[in-house]
Amino acid sequence: MSASLPGRRDLPASQYNLDTYWGRVRQSADLADPRTLFVSSAGLESAKNLISSYKQGHVPSMTPELWRAKKIVDSTLHPDTGQPVFLPFRMSCFVISNLVVTAGMLTPGLQTTGTLLWQITNQSLNVAINSANANKSTSLSTSTLIQSYFLAVSASCSVALGLNSLVPRLKRLSPGTRTILTRLVPFAAVASAGALNVFLMRGEEIRKGIDVFPSLSEAQKSDLAKQGKDNESLGKSKKAATIAVAETALSRVLNATPIMVLPPLILVRLQKTEWLRRRPRMVLPVNLGLILTTSIFALPLALAAFPTRQQIRAGKLEREIMEKVGEERLVEFNRGI
């Protein structure tokens, strides 16, 4: 992100009000905008140079070109490392990367082998996205990564297969109700394993803590920039890490809910219509269209549930942090996405 680029002068966090949910939705929509995927390496370098010029004081104020440059950089670079996130695992590619996998999991009449393969594929993608976008102030070992992956895969497959075998046994329910429950099995598997995946992949952050910084006003940031100083970390906080990981896990569930619930329920209704009965080959494209439409709107709404740059009173964190700045002082940390 832009914070990782050289220069002492910080850019405004956003052109939207991030203290409001709708402001965060608009900011998240910028981060998830798939058009940024088509920006070339030269375009990225140009955006980075423009932002660096502002941070070094060569550009006096924000302009539409600067806001566009910030959008490109924020959607491409990791905020902790300053390096580009691998393209398929960026939030701007989330909808595209998940489209085929989600469609596979929501395929009507999926058998055991298909269920296992699509759940494994989905969790593999989740591991990659969680790892690529996690807070990088605490490293994750390869052994922990592998262990987390297999635990998440086991959880998702167990839930999916277990519910698939349970639903047909619910004889007291009508066939229509059982059909709906069967279509919702992938949601239960994805939501439970997705949240577990985040905790497993980012468990090292909870065990070791993540960097916490003083929360500064624009005037204080300007004074630091004039002095040629950076906003130094106050230390690592396990409590901040727990909040960051828990909120990220919840946002994953919030994102999965409309994507994994609305398309299958709508498709059940559409499959009863005469038009779709006469055109069974249209089931797949209709399913893809429903998933794509829902995903485009659901992702920004889920990402905006919690601020990416989180503020909290120092008194709610470890004593070591509180003693450095005072109990009532606001501090902040990168939640990750």
Side-chain angles (χ1 to χ4, degrees), residues 54 134 169 217 225 297:
Y54 176 89
R169 299 176 186 175
S217 65
F297 290 101

Side-chain angles (χ1 to χ4, degrees), residues 11 13 49 98 141 144 147 153 219 253 262 292 294 310 328 333:
L11 273 78
N49 291 336
N98 277 270
S141 66
T144 302
Q147 182 183 24
V153 167
V253 175
L262 294 180
L292 177 61
T294 310
Q310 188 83 288
E328 298 301 320
F333 55 88

Side-chain angles (χ1 to χ4, degrees), residues 3 10 79-81 135-138 209-217 220-221 224 229-237 240-241 308-314 317-318 321-322 324-326 329-335:
D10 285 336
D80 295 327
T81 65
N135 184 301
K136 298 298 184 183
S137 64
T138 300
I210 59 175
D211 285 324
V212 175
F213 301 86
S215 182
L216 305 179
S217 65
Q220 290 172 320
K221 291 177 182 177
L224 273 182
K229 297 180 180 178
D230 292 320
N231 189 13
E232 298 291 339
S233 169
L234 296 170
K236 291 187 180 294
S237 168
T308 304
R309 196 75 182 176
Q310 188 83 288
Q311 289 187 333
I312 189 173
R313 280 197 314 110
L317 301 180
E318 287 81 356
I321 303 289
M322 183 181 66
K324 289 181 180 180
V325 295
R329 176 70 185 273
L330 285 177
V331 296
E332 62 182 33
F333 55 88
N334 172 31
R335 175 175 64 84

Side-chain angles (χ1 to χ4, degrees), residues 13 41 48 87 92 132-133 211 215 224 226 247 260 272 280 282 292:
S41 298
K48 290 166 64 176
L87 190 147
S92 52
N133 293 282
D211 285 324
S215 182
L224 273 182
K226 290 177 182 177
E247 289 183 349
M260 303 297 291
K272 296 178 180 178
M282 291 299 296
L292 177 61

Side-chain angles (χ1 to χ4, degrees), residues 35-189:
R35 291 175 296 180
T36 60
L37 298 172
F38 299 101
V39 175
S40 64
S41 298
L44 176 60
E45 287 302 316
S46 176
K48 290 166 64 176
N49 291 336
L50 184 58
I51 289 174
S52 294
S53 295
Y54 176 89
K55 295 182 72 174
Q56 292 166 2
H58 303 313
V59 178
S61 60
M62 294 298 291
T63 63
E65 291 76 16
L66 257 173
W67 283 120
R68 170 165 169 73
K70 186 178 186 300
K71 174 180 176 177
I72 292 170
V73 168
D74 285 353
S75 63
T76 305
L77 303 184
H78 193 283
D80 295 327
T81 65
Q83 298 299 314
V85 176
F86 186 46
L87 190 147
F89 308 146
R90 297 175 193 170
M91 284 298 113
S92 52
C93 196
F94 188 91
V95 171
I96 300 171
S97 297
N98 277 270
L99 179 60
V100 175
V101 177
T102 305
M105 290 188 293
L106 294 179
T107 301
L110 204 60
Q111 301 301 313
T112 300
T113 302
T115 298
L116 288 173
L117 288 176
W118 283 117
Q119 289 296 332
I120 290 171
T121 303
N122 181 58
Q123 290 309 315
S124 299
L125 182 60
N126 282 345
V127 165
I129 291 174
N130 290 336
S131 176
N133 293 282
N135 184 301
K136 298 298 184 183
S137 64
T138 300
S139 59
L140 181 68
S141 66
T142 303
S143 61
T144 302
L145 179 67
I146 295 172
Q147 182 183 24
S148 301
Y149 168 71
F150 281 109
L151 285 173
V153 167
S154 300
S156 65
C157 291
S158 298
V159 171
L161 294 180
L163 291 179
N164 273 336
S165 63
L166 174 64
V167 171
R169 299 176 186 175
L170 303 176
K171 302 299 184 182
R172 293 183 179 181
L173 300 178
S174 66
T177 302
R178 288 202 298 271
T179 298
I180 291 174
L181 290 177
T182 300
R183 299 288 180 90
L184 294 180
V185 165
F187 163 67

Side-chain angles (χ1 to χ4, degrees), residues 234-257:
L234 296 170
K236 291 187 180 294
S237 168
K238 295 179 182 179
K239 292 183 179 179
T242 302
I243 294 171
V245 175
E247 289 183 349
T248 302
L250 182 54
S251 72
R252 289 288 192 274
V253 175
L254 293 175
N255 184 56
T257 301

Side-chain angles (χ1 to χ4, degrees), residues 190-224:
V190 167
S192 57
L196 176 64
N197 196 316
V198 173
F199 278 100
L200 292 172
M201 289 295 301
R202 298 179 59 179
E204 205 70 12
E205 296 176 30
I206 297 176
R207 287 187 285 273
K208 295 182 178 179
I210 59 175
D211 285 324
V212 175
F213 301 86
S215 182
L216 305 179
S217 65
E218 292 301 322
Q220 290 172 320
K221 291 177 182 177
S222 178
D223 289 340
L224 273 182

